Amino acid sequence: DGMNEKGLAIAMAAVGPGNMEEDPDKDRIGSLGIIRLVLDSAATVDEAVVLLSSYNIGFEGGPALHYLIGDRAGDVVLVEFHEGSIHVIRSDTNWYQASNFIESASDSPHGRCSRYDRVAEELSDRKGDLDFESAFSLLEEVAQIDTRWSVVYNQSSGEIRVVMGKSYEQVHAFELADD
């Protein structure tokens, strides 16, 4: 996961295998390496989607992933690899939530995961407007037993808040300088 100085943020979540076939005309990159490439090269969601579409992404050595990507302008997408195709699911709001299931495999994501539904409800009620404290309260509420970190990005200001190992009483603060 990460955010660059242009306000582009990308997060990953483990999902079931996407059954993707290699495209012999594309180079191969690892599932974490593509995150680094996106953060180093993209400023917008559309630029990030082009990069993700340009590579065979290898998930060996770890679970398959999908990627939640948002930019400073408020564009947000979920990018998934399912049944041999890349799926780009756009949000009609300036927020989106994802959990550990492939959304493009069903007609509706609601009812598939209580954590997803709880976050969707809170974001909808607040029209996506959560401050750091509210965001971490929600993330603590939906954390799993094996949650390793929780992070909240302010894409406008470059502020980043990170909690490690569900120690929500200890928030680490960082700030990126604008380019």
Side-chain angles (χ1 to χ4, degrees), residues 80 82-83 87 89 101-108 112:
E80 298 184 322
H82 179 65
E83 298 302 324
H87 298 265
I89 305 167
F101 62 89
I102 297 177
E103 287 190 33
S104 57
S106 68
D107 292 334
S108 173
R112 303 228 10 231

Side-chain angles (χ1 to χ4, degrees), residues 45-60:
V45 162
D46 289 338
E47 290 173 2
V49 169
V50 167
L51 284 170
L52 283 159
S53 302
S54 300
Y55 288 88
N56 291 308
I57 300 176
F59 296 107
E60 303 79 21

